[in-house]
Amino acid sequence: MARKLVIGNWKLNGSSAANAVLLTELAAEWRGAPGMQLVVCPPAPYLAQACDVLSGSAVTWGGQDVSDRPAGAFTGEVSAAMLKDLGCSHAIVGHSERRLRFGESNALVAAKAAAALDGGLVPVVCIGESAAERNEGRALAVLQAQVEAVLAVVAAPRLPGVAFAYEPLWAIGTGQNADPQIAATVHAFVRGLLARADLAAAAEVPILYGGSVKAANAAEYAAQRDIDGVLVGGASLIAPDFLAIAAA
Ligand code: PEP
């Protein structure tokens, strides 16, 4: 797996017409970079369109979520095998919007990460603390519980197939991006937790930053040790902005 990752999370945005423009521009403009992967995560109904437009390009695509179940009576769910069938490389799991609005627990997020891995996808496990948790001095404890839930179900040798994204809740969609150096200390903390499970494997795990990343601040994150890329929301919907972030 590429250690450097730039992932666009389109969230609940898009239409066939708008996606065609965005995907075509990304496919045409992104030439790839050594050791780095550019990934877009459209809403599930548009993954087939992403597969059509991006196949043969240097851009890959992934799901915004994945079921912890392989098949069966689970209305509304999308399995890892289905994402794989549509050519996905990655699946975001545990985005804070899903943790908060859909009540996803650390255990469920970890089960989704394991299901993605079993299905041949790279799970991108989102972790992050709220403003209140940070202000109360509980940020690291919250992050530790989120990471350890994954370590409880993903055996150490499989860790290099997993990516994490540190997304402090107070930075998502707010325009208040985390100070890159503060984010870097969190990333080092997370890598330390992974290293307790397997030192060598931990070094291979991409740990991304997410939260109000823009073309103007992306390079500051890229310059930090232990920040291996970014997960981008709003700015990933505008091709020149997303491409500028990837270039940074
Ligand atoms: C996100 O939702 O994962 C995100 C990082 O959003 P934004 O870049 O818009 O803050």
Side-chain angles (χ1 to χ4, degrees), residues 116-156:
L117 264 179
D118 291 343
L121 303 165
V122 176
V124 181
V125 183
C126 297
I127 58 173
E129 81 286 357
S130 67
E133 288 162 344
R134 174 156 284 269
N135 294 338
E136 290 160 11
R138 294 193 289 125
L140 296 185
V142 167
L143 293 161
Q144 183 165 354
Q146 293 171 339
V147 172
E148 286 181 347
V150 176
L151 294 176
V153 296
V154 173

Side-chain angles (χ1 to χ4, degrees), residues 9 11 95 97 167 171-174 210-213 231-235:
N9 173 17
K11 310 194 189 192
H95 192 281
E97 288 152 14
E167 297 211 310
I172 295 179
T174 60
S212 298
V213 174
L231 177 53
V232 186

Side-chain angles (χ1 to χ4, degrees), residues 7-20:
I7 303 180
N9 173 17
W10 292 8
K11 310 194 189 192
L12 187 57
N13 295 293
S15 66
S16 298
N19 303 344

Side-chain angles (χ1 to χ4, degrees), residues 4-98:
K4 301 281 179 194
L5 278 174
V6 172
I7 303 180
N9 173 17
W10 292 8
K11 310 194 189 192
L12 187 57
N13 295 293
S15 66
S16 298
N19 303 344
V21 175
L22 178 50
L23 292 168
T24 303
E25 192 167 346
L26 294 176
E29 298 295 329
W30 181 248
R31 301 270 165 236
M36 179 186 156
Q37 198 169 0
L38 189 67
V39 187
V40 291
C41 296
Y46 298 122
L47 286 168
Q49 184 185 22
C51 184
D52 284 347
V53 179
L54 298 176
S55 288
S57 80
V59 184
T60 67
W61 55 98
Q64 293 179 13
D65 186 24
V66 66
S67 180
D68 62 321
R69 307 302 171 116
F74 303 103
T75 303
E77 292 280 84
V78 175
S79 72
M82 292 171 186
L83 294 180
K84 193 72 185 169
D85 199 19
L86 288 169
C88 289
S89 57
H90 293 70
I92 297 171
V93 297
H95 192 281
S96 60
E97 288 152 14
R98 295 212 61 85

Side-chain angles (χ1 to χ4, degrees), residues 140-233:
L140 296 185
V142 167
L143 293 161
Q144 183 165 354
Q146 293 171 339
V147 172
E148 286 181 347
V150 176
L151 294 176
V153 296
V154 173
R158 301 183 83 193
L159 274 180
V162 180
F164 285 84
Y166 170 53
E167 297 211 310
L169 275 60
W170 42 270
I172 295 179
T174 60
Q176 293 185 314
N177 58 302
D179 179 282
Q181 281 166 5
I182 291 175
T185 63
V186 171
H187 284 227
F189 172 73
V190 171
R191 202 175 302 282
L193 295 174
L194 302 176
R196 281 194 215 164
D198 187 315
L199 189 61
E204 292 182 49
V205 176
I207 306 176
L208 316 183
Y209 167 76
S212 298
V213 174
K214 309 247 173 301
N217 59 31
E220 295 175 57
Y221 294 104
Q224 303 295 326
R225 189 184 147 90
D226 282 318
I227 299 188
D228 304 310
V230 285
L231 177 53
V232 186

